[in-house]
Structure formats: C-alpha cells, structure tokens
Amino acid sequence: MMALILLAILAVIAAGYLTKINISFYAIATAYLIACFGMDLSAGDLVKLWPVKIFFVILSVSLFYNVALANGALEKLAGHLLYQCRHFPNILPLAVFAAATLIAGLGAGFYTVLAFMAPLTLLLCQKTKMNLVIGSMAVNYGALAGANFMTSQSGVIFRGLLETSGIAKEAAFGYTSAIFVTTLLVPVVILGGYSLWNRRMSAISIQAEKPEAFTTKQKQSIFLIVLLMAIVLTFPILHLIWPQNDWVSWANAKLDIGFLAIVFTLVSMMMKLADERKVIALVPWGTLLMICGMGILIGIAVKVGVVEAFSGWVSGNVAFWLIPVVLCCIGAIMSVFSSTLGVVAPTLFPIIPTIAAYSGLNPALLFVAVVVGAQATAISPFSSGGSLILGSAPEGIDKNALLNQLLFKAIPIGLFAAVIAVILAQLVM
C-alpha cells in the first residue's frame, strides 16, 4: 500500500503536468479510489482529510488583499516604486525585486504579482537593455520572497501546513519567519552581486513617466493592509519576548489571521473600496483547490505510514549534515515541474518533524531547505512561475531563446545559490 500511494503521488503530479489539468482533480479522485476501495475507509473518513483550516485561511486572506488589487492600489504602488529608481539604472534589478517583494508582502501573492509585474519587467528589459535572465529572476524572486512574508499568501499557507503537521502555533510563526528571511536574503545577494559586477559595463537607461497619484480609496486600502499586518505580527512577537505574560498569551491565542481578514474585508466592503464581485473573482481558486486536493492524498499517505517510512530512510541512509542539502535538491527537482505551494510543501513538510526527531537537526533549517530549493527552480518554464514569465514576453522578445535562458541559466544559478545558502544556514540554525 505504501508503494502504491507513492506511485500514485508521482502519477498525479505527472498527469497534472502533462494534461495541464489542475492536479487537485487527479489527487481527490486517486485518494477516493485508494481510500475507499483499497483501505476500506468510508467516504466520510476521506472528507475529514480536507484541510478545512488551510482552506479557510487562504480564502479569507485572499478576499481581503484582493480589495487592494481590485481598486488598483498595489499595481499603482509598483509603478511609483520603479519610478523612484529612474536615476539609478544599475540597481534596476534590485528595484524590480524590491517592488515585487513589497507588493507581494502586502498580500497580493506570488501569482498575482507575476501576472501584472512580469509583463512590466520584460518590457523594462526591452526598453532599458537590462539582462532578460536577471530581470526575470528579479521579479520572480521578489514575488516569491514577498509572498513568503508571515501575513501574505505563501506565508499563511506555510504556517497552516506547519500547524497541520503538528507544529505549535508559536514555533510555526518562527519557522515561517526563518523561511521569509532566507528567501529574502538569497536574491538580494544574487541581484546585488550582479549590480556591483555590472555597474561599469551596464547599458541600462531608464526613461519612466511619473505614475498617477493614489486615489482616496487606494490610500485607505493600503492603510488597512498595514494595520492588519501590524496587528497580526505584534502579538506573536510580544509573546516571544514575554512568554510568561498572561494577557499577551491570551491575546496571541485569540487573534487569528483568517477571521481578522474577514473582519477587515467587511470593513473594506462597507467603505466601498472595491467591487465585491471582482474581489471574489480574484480569489486564487486553482491554487486553493490544488493545495487542498493534494492535502487529502498526503493525508492518506500519512495514514498508511509513508511519512514515517520515508523519514526513517532519509535519516538512516543520508549523513546528517547532508540531509538539508538533499531536501533542498528534492524540493528543487519537484518544483521544476510542479508548484511549491500546491505540491512541494504539502508533500515534504509532513516528513520534516520526523526527520528532525531522528537526526537532531533544527526543524527550521529543514523547512527552510525545502522552500529555498523549491523556489530556486520555480522560474522553470515548466512550472507556474516560469510559464507566467514566458507568457508575458512582449513582441520583440524571442520566447524560445527566453525559455532556454530560464532553463539553462536561471535555474542553475538559483539552485547553486540555494545549496550554498542551505550550507551556510546550518552554521546559524
């Protein structure tokens, strides 16, 4: 049964990739056949494996942040940030990265930021003669790093997966913070190094028009986002500082980002900051289904002991100091053809607590290794990030050449940097 489920997981990922059909449909159908006909579980038992908490949190957070997307606040903010760099052309890659990070960190999420910033970035590359690979890496890394922020889309998903894996709420916050910091520093080093190396030879020239001023509703949306972030982040930090304070502990336990996001969405709707129908339509339903569908299939794998068996094999056959690098490379290979949020994290996160217990390694290091590796290759043309970038290429850019550059330049650079980052992370974690 273990071998059957492992083969099923691989088959589901391959089928989704080959047919371009959301893998959630394959995952749910496969889980049903295995659980009800191979394991004699009831349909009710299978439904209980649907990750209700993760579904609710992603839905509620997306609804709130979609208000600022629907009224154009976040897109306009990106334009203002890039405009401020018109006199500093050599740092344009860092400026693109910073803009994408900030917008994603304010809640837009990875896919949404790429959807409206990838065309802008490739157009900038065309107009300013910025290197296409560097431009693509800058916007991709920025969207990833910002989305990993503890209150943004990927960060919220990671926290939900961690808590589902049995990690305490406070520890999950700390591990997610480590993921965010690491995925922020790695691209800064890569892009900063490129900017320094290229400062004398660069032919980049920026001629940008000043964006329009923010409207009142757009300002109010950004204010509400900052306020929600402040509330959600303040109490976990206070609890880390004063763990014995009863009031801080009580407040930290009661505050939930999912329900707070619904409250803030209601406030936004009452203030008429955006069209409600557009806000609902912008929910990333495909990602939501993919995460929950894979969650059911992984839940079946947990029930038959696949997680424990694989964790024991890794711990027994790989030198302890190599385990983080191995997890990094496994995540990277999986991410070339699949989604970090929908496949890599739901598949690998459940095995990490057991591997950490076997090996004595810091769980934070292992979670960081998986995400850093997966996001190093997320720019693959066969994955969601790279395909969005490739599809955003304007006329005048050779898409076949760009595909080869993403595959044979961007991925090796990203993976090399990820492995080095994980090795260095072992010194501090």
Side-chain angles (χ1 to χ4, degrees):
M1 185 59 69
M2 286 187 187
L4 175 63
I5 292 178
L6 284 174
L7 287 173
I9 292 172
L10 294 174
V12 161
I13 295 171
Y17 165 68
L18 292 173
T19 64
K20 308 302 180 187
I21 296 173
N22 192 308
I23 67 171
S24 64
F25 299 117
Y26 291 107
I28 295 170
T30 303
Y32 169 63
L33 294 174
I34 291 176
C36 294
F37 298 97
M39 298 172 60
D40 200 27
L41 295 177
S42 69
D45 294 330
L46 190 61
V47 170
K48 291 177 184 177
L49 295 176
W50 183 270
V52 175
K53 182 175 181 180
I54 294 175
F55 181 91
F56 173 72
V57 170
I58 298 172
L59 176 63
S60 57
V61 170
S62 296
L63 285 170
F64 171 60
Y65 288 128
N66 286 349
V67 175
L69 283 171
N71 64 24
L74 296 182
E75 189 171 358
K76 190 173 287 185
L77 181 59
H80 277 276
L81 289 171
L82 292 175
Y83 177 75
Q84 297 302 318
C85 297
R86 64 194 183 281
H87 298 309
F88 308 97
N90 288 327
I91 66 166
L92 185 57
L94 285 170
V96 170
F97 169 77
T101 300
L102 180 59
I103 304 305
L106 288 174
F110 171 64
Y111 300 106
T112 305
V113 170
L114 271 192
F116 71 78
M117 279 206 67
L120 173 63
T121 302
L122 293 178
L123 196 59
L124 278 172
C125 289
Q126 200 174 35
K127 289 183 176 181
T128 65
K129 297 181 178 162
M130 179 169 65
N131 185 287
L132 275 174
V133 172
I134 292 298
S136 300
M137 292 180 69
V139 69
N140 187 68
Y141 267 138
L144 289 167
N148 290 344
F149 190 61
M150 291 76 77
T151 61
S152 193
Q153 187 185 83
S154 302
V156 168
I157 292 170
F158 290 149
R159 286 172 66 184
L161 291 171
L162 289 170
E163 291 176 20
T164 303
S165 301
I167 306 295
K169 183 178 179 181
E170 292 78 13
F173 178 82
Y175 296 162
T176 310
S177 302
I179 290 171
F180 168 68
V181 171
T182 307
T183 54
L184 181 70
L185 292 178
V186 171
V188 167
V189 172
I190 294 174
L191 299 173
Y194 172 82
S195 296
L196 288 173
W197 174 76
N198 202 46
R199 67 187 186 279
R200 292 182 180 177
M201 299 177 289
S202 178
I204 296 176
S205 175
I206 305 175
Q207 294 180 350
E209 295 182 4
K210 186 175 182 179
E212 295 180 2
F214 290 100
T215 65
T216 301
K217 289 184 178 181
Q218 290 170 341
K219 290 178 181 178
Q220 291 170 339
S221 289
I222 293 175
F223 171 77
L224 288 176
I225 289 174
V226 174
L227 180 60
L228 176 63
M229 289 169 58
I231 293 171
V232 171
L233 294 176
T234 296
F235 286 94
I237 292 171
L238 289 176
H239 185 66
L240 290 173
I241 298 172
W242 295 297
Q244 305 303 321
N245 186 294
D246 292 338
W247 183 82
V248 170
S249 299
W250 176 84
N252 183 52
K254 295 295 182 183
L255 288 176
D256 181 88
I257 187 171
F259 286 102
L260 281 173
I262 291 293
V263 172
F264 273 69
T265 303
L266 176 60
V267 171
S268 300
M269 293 297 101
M270 293 176 68
M271 294 171 66
K272 300 188 183 303
L273 299 184
D275 180 358
E276 179 183 338
R277 289 172 298 180
K278 189 173 181 181
V279 168
I280 294 173
L282 285 170
V283 172
W285 297 109
T287 302
L288 195 54
L289 285 171
M290 185 160 49
I291 291 167
C292 294
M294 281 299 293
I296 289 181
L297 187 55
I298 297 303
I300 295 296
V302 171
K303 276 186 173 294
V304 299
V306 170
V307 169
E308 289 80 2
F310 183 70
S311 303
W313 181 88
V314 171
S315 301
N317 293 276
V318 179
F320 287 171
W321 69 272
L322 266 180
I323 288 176
V325 175
V326 170
L327 288 175
C328 173
C329 293
I330 292 173
I333 294 169
M334 291 176 68
S335 185
V336 169
F337 302 100
S338 60
S339 163
T340 300
L341 296 178
V343 177
V344 181
T347 303
L348 296 182
F349 273 22
I351 72 173
I352 288 179
T354 309
I355 291 178
Y358 273 126
S359 64
L361 293 169
N362 187 340
L365 171 64
L366 303 183
F367 286 118
V368 165
V370 168
V371 176
V372 169
Q375 295 191 345
T377 59
I379 200 169
S380 162
F382 309 120
S383 189
S384 48
S387 61
L388 274 171
I389 292 172
L390 203 60
S392 301
E395 290 185 17
I397 290 180
D398 186 339
K399 290 191 177 184
N400 289 327
L402 179 58
L403 183 148
N404 289 328
Q405 288 178 319
L406 295 180
L407 201 56
F408 300 113
K409 289 185 179 179
I411 288 179
I413 291 171
L415 183 56
F416 175 77
V419 170
I420 296 299
V422 169
I423 292 172
L424 293 176
Q426 294 187 67
L427 302 177
V428 296
M429 290 187 181

